[in-house]
Structure formats: C-alpha cells, structure tokens
Amino acid sequence: MQFGPFAVAQLRILAEMQSLMSASGKAPAVLPDPRLYITDTLGNPFVEEETLGQMYEPVAKSRREANKVKREERITVVIGNPPYKEKAKGRGGWIEEGTKSLSGVKSYQAPMARWEPPPGWGVGAHAKHLKNLYVYFWRWATWKVFGSGFADSTGLPEKDQKGIVCFITVAGFLNGPGFEKMRDDLRRTCSEIWVVDCSPEGHQPEVSTRIFQAVQQPVCIVLASRKLGKAKDEPAKVKFRALAKGPRTQKFKELQSYSLHDEAWEACPSDWRAPFLPEATGLWSQFPKLEELFVYNGSGVMPGRKWIIAPDIESLENRWKRLVTEKDSDKKELLFHPHLRNGKPGDKHVRKTVSQGLAGHEERLQAVLDDKKNVITPIRYSFRSFDRQWIIPDARLINQPNPTLWKSYSVQQIYLTAPEDRTPTSSAVTFAGLIPDLHHYHGRGGRVYPLWRDAGAKQPNVRPEILSSLAKAYAGVTAENVFAYIAAITAHPAFTARFKDDLIQPGLRLPLTAHADLFKKA
C-alpha cells in the first residue's frame, strides 16, 4: 500500500541475496526472483484483481500473484511489525468483512468473527479493542500459517498445519478483556507461545527506553508456534519474560542473548481466556481485584463531538441555536459534526431519531434536522478528574451515552474511575459526584464503578457477598464504608509507590486489612 517501503525492502533483499551467494562462491549471473509483492495483505485472496490500467498493470499483476500465494501456497513463517491503528473499523478488508456472495459464489463469515467473544462471556463492551490493524494482521497470519478458520472464512476444509507467527506489536492483547477469545483461540491453535515484554517501564516510558521511539504504548514480542497434530483441548504452553529496564540499546543487546530454552522463562496460566502474563505472586496476589468487588462497571460517557461540552451554559446555548437555525441541511450536517464511515454519516447525525432519551432529562426523539426548540437544559459534567464542565444531555447528540450511568444518577451517587489497561503513575483511582466522561481518569480511557445501582440509592453496587463477608470481619459495613476505604488506600500516592513493581502489569487490587479499627479509621 506504500511504494517507498516496498522499494527499500526489495533493494535490501536483493543485496542480501547477492551478498550470501557471493560469500558461498556460487553467485549466478542473474539473481533468482525474490518473489516480493506489493499488495494489501488483508485483501480478499479469493477475488481476482481487476486491471488497473496500463500504467498500473505491474501493481495489478503483483496483487494477482500475491493472492495466488495467499490462496494456494503453504506458508510456514510470518514475521513482522504490523501497523498499529486503533478504531480501525472498516479497514480490515477481507479479514474483517469475509467473503460476500457474488455471482453465485457462496458467502463466508469474516476470519475476525472467530475472535469475537460470545455474549455469555460478558466482555462485549471491550470487543471494540479488536478493531485495530495489528489485530487484523494477527488474525490473517494465524489463518494463513496455522490453517485456523479455513472452513468458516473460505469454505475450504480446516487444515492441520505447523508453523510460526512472530510479531512485535503493542501489548494490549496480552491481558485486555476484549481479547479473551483471541487468547482462547491461540491457546487452542498453538503448541507453545513465548512472550517478551519490551516495555517493563510501563505506559509512556522515557523515549530513550522505547524499542520504537514514537510509540508510547507498551510493546511486546510474541512468538506463537504450532506442531502437527496439536489437540484443541490441550492449551498451548505460554511462557513469559521481561527485558530489564534501561535504554533501548541495552535491550537490543539483551535480546541477542535470549534462547527459547533459557530457564528465565516464567510459566503463564493455562486457563483458556487467561492473560499471556505470569500470575500475580507474593502479597499482591492475595489481594482481591478491584472489579471483583462490584456488580457493575462500565465505560464513561463517550460524547463523540466536542461542541456539546463547554465551560459555560451560554456557549452551549449559542452553539445549539446556530445549529437549529441553519436552513441549509448540508451545512447543518457539517455543524453537527457526524462521524463518517465510508464517506457517510455514522453513529449520530442530524437525520437520526432515537428510541429513548436520557433518564432524568427532557426526552426528544425526533431528528435534530426537524428540531426548532431551545437546547435541552445543560448539566454539570465530570469531564476530567479535576475539570468540571457542562454537557447537553441529549441522546441524539452523544455518540455512546451509556444509559446505565444516567439511570442510576442522583445527588447521592458517587463514581469511582480507574485505569483498565495501563499503569497508574500517581493516584490509582479518582472519584466524582457527577456523571463522568469516558476519559475522566487522567484524560485516557478507564472503567467507571458507581456506588449505587439505582437512582434511589437503595441498591449498592458492591457485591452482596463482599459486604456480608466484610461485615463479619469488621462488625458492620456499608457500601459507603467500602468506597471510603478504597479512596483512603488506592487514591493515595503511597499506594502506587508501594506497589510500583506489581502495577507494571495493569490491573488494580485492593489490600484489605485484618484489623477492624484500621478499616474504620480509613
């Protein structure tokens, strides 16, 4: 898809071939064809490329030849550094879309469907993280090398193939809940999996320590291998090790000394959906996970457009008035700022109606295009941990409002927000009395844990069995007590300092004291 890198790769491979053959004393007059193709890896290999015109015929020919390789040739190794692009829905080509029914050809589901978590797993809200280019490349490689998903995505019989996939990518899939089906499938498909953590410093480390200087996210190398006859009911052995903290040059030197047979590899859990990380050890492993304490946790509000949030009500009123008084429908659509998908408005747009409004606020179901009324009264909003703004509580304007948060809101409600996929650097959690934004915690994504499950503040969100157990230990405990204790312990900077090494692996745990007087004091 980019000619520059292709040209450089071609020159380097030819130079390498010439160097190797010259060293062997068998350099031919003409080098053999390196069979290097420019193509879209994620494109449908079962569709013949159309002619692109005489000028671009070499590109079309290259794609046709590449598709033949993807369709018919046995590939045993795929190695590389796939591109990282989150929110890449619609950019995964055949891997994301599958084979559409054309001229009598049967349609087949997308290879990515194999990694979509079932509804019963309760992690559907996190599945959006699968919509990333590097994940699409992982799925393509496992389809091609291991033969996993042939019957579903191609109609060809499932194959028992041996091979290796080795990628260096961001590390989110190692333990993110949205990747549980991906990890499950890799464990069923592969024989052994080796994981190297290249970012022991955590998220946004010093530039000099980064494998890729421009990449802030933690990076890992994963080598997945499959032997013939691998049984699907026997999980792959997953092994892990982390590079030592330090400058990039030191990490490169350390990598050169690695062997798959070193004793330094740590075993990871064998549970199908478990993270590709060692289990927590020591005192930290004895603490309950934060999410285990609550019945519900979810994402904050995702507005989707900046103009519906402001530091003052007057700005919001003026913006709404400008929108509804615009007579040209096309200009009105531009003022609305719809998300575009394939050149067309996506989630919310001026012609879209909704089935219900937001609990506790004026309900307007008609399309914004036909609305001439004043703005729905703005309310205060927890935009960031230390930034309270105003938002228009209109379901037609907010891309993903998370109705659960609005239904349970009251003046008695308290929201705890915490990071999900990254290491906290100061306060591990923050609190708010107003409905929080998706990025309320530290300007980045996180999870929201309400104190109450209902607006009447009668149903605690802390699990009943947790409250019952703590009540026995401390002689009486309320949900408010638990929230106060969490604030005293985890929101304090001493928490992140004390458990700095444990927190490198994302995921919060709560130390619980055995002393009732200490709990009450906290």
Side-chain angles (χ1 to χ4, degrees):
M1 299 179 76
Q2 292 179 311
F3 287 95
F6 174 79
V8 171
Q10 189 175 48
L11 287 171
R12 292 183 64 177
I13 287 177
L14 288 170
E16 182 75 5
M17 290 172 65
Q18 188 171 33
S19 175
L20 289 169
M21 290 180 174
S22 297
S24 67
K26 300 177 181 180
V30 180
L31 289 174
D33 180 5
R35 304 182 69 217
L36 189 66
Y37 307 115
I38 185 163
T39 187
D40 177 3
T41 303
L42 305 179
N44 190 344
F46 299 95
V47 173
E48 286 294 329
E49 289 287 343
E50 296 181 0
T51 301
L52 302 179
Q54 185 175 1
M55 180 176 177
Y56 295 103
E57 177 54 25
V59 177
K61 182 175 183 292
S62 181
R63 288 181 175 179
R64 288 194 292 270
E65 292 174 347
N67 276 347
K68 185 176 180 181
V69 172
K70 287 193 283 184
R71 280 196 313 270
E72 303 172 9
E73 289 202 32
R74 179 75 184 91
I75 299 295
T76 55
V77 176
V78 170
I79 184 170
N81 167 217
Y84 174 86
K85 176 64 179 177
E86 60 181 349
K87 299 179 182 178
K89 184 176 180 179
R91 299 184 61 178
W94 171 73
I95 291 295
E96 182 183 10
E97 298 172 0
T99 305
K100 302 293 176 64
S101 180
L102 293 171
S103 61
V105 179
K106 185 178 178 181
S107 63
Y108 291 96
Q109 69 174 185
M112 273 302 298
R114 191 179 177 98
W115 287 359
E116 290 288 341
W121 288 12
V123 294
H126 305 274
K128 61 186 178 184
H129 298 299
L130 290 168
K131 308 296 184 183
N132 196 308
L133 281 181
Y134 86 91
V135 181
Y136 295 151
F137 274 82
W138 261 109
R139 184 65 195 99
W140 175 83
T142 58
W143 165 81
K144 183 58 186 173
V145 175
F146 303 138
S148 61
F150 268 72
D152 293 338
S153 56
T154 66
L156 301 175
E158 189 92 1
K159 295 183 179 180
D160 180 16
Q161 298 180 171
K162 63 180 180 180
I164 290 172
V165 176
C166 185
F167 281 157
I168 179 168
T169 67
V170 294
F173 74 100
L174 298 183
N175 69 327
F179 303 96
E180 286 188 4
K181 192 64 167 64
M182 175 182 176
R183 294 194 295 268
D184 175 282
D185 188 52
L186 287 173
R187 278 189 169 94
R188 296 181 190 278
T189 301
C190 300
S191 305
E192 291 182 282
I193 300 172
W194 290 268
V195 179
V196 179
D197 177 7
C198 300
S199 306
E201 297 84 359
H203 186 74
Q204 287 186 321
E206 292 292 328
V207 174
S208 62
T209 70
R210 300 176 188 175
I211 295 292
F212 302 115
Q213 291 174 278
V215 178
Q216 301 180 20
Q217 293 88 351
V219 171
C220 66
I221 298 170
V222 176
L223 188 154
S225 73
R226 175 186 171 89
K227 297 178 181 178
L228 291 177
K230 165 66 170 64
K232 287 188 175 182
D233 58 354
E234 180 183 340
K237 295 178 180 178
V238 183
K239 301 173 183 179
F240 176 94
R241 68 191 299 175
L243 292 170
K245 296 180 181 179
R248 178 172 51 258
T249 51
Q250 177 182 311
K251 291 178 177 177
F252 290 158
K253 186 176 181 180
E254 182 182 345
L255 277 170
Q256 291 177 345
S257 69
Y258 276 15
S259 165
L260 298 183
H261 306 291
D262 290 347
E263 294 182 358
W265 296 97
E266 297 180 69
C268 297
S270 59
D271 295 343
W272 296 111
R273 294 149 57 183
F276 288 169
L277 297 169
E279 292 189 278
T281 58
L283 189 63
W284 182 254
S285 67
Q286 300 174 32
F287 304 150
K289 297 178 181 178
L290 184 63
E291 63 265 25
E292 294 174 342
L293 304 176
F294 296 92
V295 177
Y296 167 84
N297 71 83
S299 299
V301 175
M302 189 175 84
R305 45 196 49 83
K306 296 179 180 179
W307 68 265
I308 64 174
I309 298 172
D312 60 283
I313 296 178
E314 185 180 8
S315 293
L316 296 176
E317 291 175 337
N318 291 338
R319 292 170 189 174
W320 174 260
K321 185 176 180 180
R322 173 72 183 88
L323 176 68
V324 298
T325 56
E326 174 57 57
K327 296 180 180 180
D328 186 305
S329 59
D330 291 335
K331 288 184 178 180
K332 181 172 288 192
E333 190 76 89
L334 289 174
L335 287 172
F336 185 88
H337 286 283
H339 284 173
L340 297 179
R341 291 179 180 170
N342 299 320
K344 298 180 180 179
D347 291 346
K348 298 291 173 69
H349 48 84
V350 294
R351 294 172 175 81
K352 186 177 181 66
T353 60
V354 294
S355 59
Q356 61 180 5
L358 301 177
H361 301 280
E362 181 185 348
E363 183 176 75
R364 294 191 201 170
L365 308 181
Q366 67 185 129
V368 172
L369 185 66
D370 304 319
D371 195 347
K372 305 301 180 184
K373 297 180 182 178
N374 291 332
V375 67
I376 294 178
T377 305
I379 61 167
R380 292 284 276 168
Y381 179 65
S382 294
F383 185 59
R384 297 291 182 266
S385 295
F386 305 102
D387 186 359
R388 299 295 177 265
Q389 304 244 349
W390 295 83
I391 189 172
I392 302 174
D394 191 332
R396 301 169 302 174
L397 310 183
I398 301 174
N399 265 14
Q400 296 181 26
N402 189 346
T404 300
L405 297 183
W406 298 86
K407 291 176 181 177
S408 63
Y409 174 73
S410 74
V411 294
Q412 295 172 284
Q413 184 65 277
I414 301 174
Y415 302 98
L416 181 164
T417 64
E420 174 188 32
D421 60 350
R422 63 198 70 226
T423 300
T425 54
S426 53
S427 174
V429 299
T430 58
F431 291 84
L434 302 170
I435 292 177
D437 187 86
L438 174 68
H439 300 297
H440 176 263
Y441 176 86
H442 209 295
R444 299 191 295 271
R447 303 301 287 173
V448 178
Y449 300 83
L451 171 58
W452 303 104
R453 296 177 64 196
D454 65 322
K458 301 295 184 183
Q459 301 177 29
N461 190 36
V462 180
R463 291 186 180 276
E465 59 270 29
I466 297 292
L467 286 175
S468 176
S469 179
L470 294 180
K472 293 177 182 177
Y474 304 137
V477 169
T478 66
E480 294 100 317
N481 296 154
V482 175
F483 248 54
Y485 180 82
I486 293 173
I489 301 299
T490 62
H492 197 289
F495 174 80
T496 51
R498 168 67 178 79
F499 299 108
K500 182 179 179 181
D501 292 338
D502 298 298
L503 287 168
I504 287 177
Q505 179 177 322
L508 299 181
R509 292 173 179 263
L510 180 68
L512 283 168
T513 178
H515 302 282
D517 56 339
L518 287 180
F519 180 86
K520 291 176 181 177
K521 182 178 180 181

